[in-house]
Amino acid sequence: MNWNRKHLLDIQSLQPEEIVTVLDTAKAFKAVGERSIKKVPVLRGKTVINLFVEPSTRTRISFELAAQRLSADVINFSAEASSLKKGETLKDTARNLEALNADIIIIRHSATGAPHFLARFLESSVVNAGDGAHEHPTQALLDTFTIREHKGKVEGLNVTILGDILYSRVARSNIWALRKLGANVTLCGPATLVPKVFEQMGCRVVHDFKEAIRDADVINLLRIQHERQRKTMFPSIGEYTSLYGINRSRMNWIKPDALIMHPGPINRGVEIDSAMADGSQSVILDQVTNGLALRMAVLFLVSGGKGPQEIAA
Ligand code: CP
């Protein structure tokens, strides 16, 4: 299916065929990244602005590198050093960036809906790099890409997402993407962080760790997001780790070919220990590598690209 959207705001509104188009386009760009000359001129003359109003390592740097690989000019907006600190609104900030001829504005913001808000009045393309606890669409797409790359498919796989689901934009975007592509999704963690209401998204909700992981083809671990919790949702970090942490002693509870995933940043020793994070079943750094090709695909598609058929083999 040809891509025909100016923005990437969420996964919820995408058709399954559109998700497949992004994944196939990312595959073509991954092949470009394996050539000796990794740069292509598809966004030459375009300007991409990284408008990150929340911290980021992986997402911001991979969007920056993706824009450079596509030959765009890229500007990194630093919220701390900006006039947001003097009280300028997000709307005025974005309109000023557009007045400087921004073609694509990539936004990360603590407020749910901030990218959708910008898309209502900007002529530029808007890409959501994470809005509050709502969605993180490129993370879900790179996660799905990584699963498909390792397992050859997504449909029919058992994917368990463990941890802080309630506050997680990564979880919400992953649930939408995985369900749309036909995976069986299990959510697990303390009842305070994994309420039954998530069953309405087509997921199985369980609170027993062993039950959640034993049949999983993929285990995606999430960080406890202290910055989004209004109060502590479980007695202590130690108790969380003892009930829901994945470690070497629990390795024989999981399938020998199960993939261990984590969007980062990792809290080593909390949701995962180093033996598992750096072990043979971990694909955590593959996720980061795939984020570059995936974000090249997204920048290409929101700029008018139609799909993988336009990327020279
Ligand atoms: N996974 C993720 O969004 O990481 P960053 O916050 O470092 O971008």
Side-chain angles (χ1 to χ4, degrees), residues 52 55-60 108 129 136 139 169-170 263-265 295:
F52 277 58
S56 169
T57 297
R58 284 147 289 269
T59 312
R60 191 190 62 72
R108 171 171 287 191
H136 191 347
Q139 181 68 48
R169 55 196 177 205
V170 174
R295 290 177 173 123

Side-chain angles (χ1 to χ4, degrees), residues 158 213-217 251 253-259 281:
N158 296 326
I213 62 170
R214 69 175 165 227
D215 295 324
D217 301 300
M251 205 168 159
W253 294 6
I254 67 176
K255 288 165 83 169
D257 62 347
L259 303 180
Q281 288 178 251

Side-chain angles (χ1 to χ4, degrees), residues 88-205:
E88 188 165 38
T89 64
L90 178 64
K91 182 172 186 177
D92 281 335
T93 301
R95 292 188 69 192
N96 277 271
L97 297 177
E98 188 167 66
L100 293 166
N101 293 324
D103 295 289
I104 304 175
I105 296 181
I106 301 160
I107 178 169
R108 171 171 287 191
H109 202 285
S110 58
T112 290
H116 303 70
F117 170 67
L118 295 193
R120 288 207 325 250
F121 58 84
L122 290 181
E123 289 300 315
S124 317
S125 292
V126 177
V127 175
N128 183 357
D131 62 324
H134 176 227
E135 282 227 32
H136 191 347
T138 58
Q139 181 68 48
L141 291 165
L142 75 87
D143 291 344
T144 311
F145 181 94
T146 304
I147 292 169
R148 194 178 76 158
E149 185 176 61
H150 281 271
K151 295 287 186 186
K153 62 174 187 175
V154 176
E155 188 171 8
L157 292 179
N158 296 326
V159 180
T160 292
I161 307 176
L162 262 169
D164 181 354
I165 310 294
L166 185 62
Y167 294 100
S168 175
R169 55 196 177 205
V170 174
R172 281 179 183 75
S173 287
N174 262 277
I175 292 166
W176 286 121
L178 292 164
R179 293 296 299 132
K180 283 171 192 273
L181 296 186
N184 309 310
V185 179
T186 296
L187 308 177
C188 180
T192 45
L193 292 176
V194 192
K196 286 277 180 194
V197 70
F198 279 94
E199 288 175 349
Q200 291 173 16
M201 293 178 79
C203 303
R204 184 172 71 120
V205 171

Side-chain angles (χ1 to χ4, degrees), residues 31-39:
V32 169
E34 284 157 8
R35 297 181 196 155
S36 57
I37 297 173
K38 297 174 172 44
K39 212 161 172 173

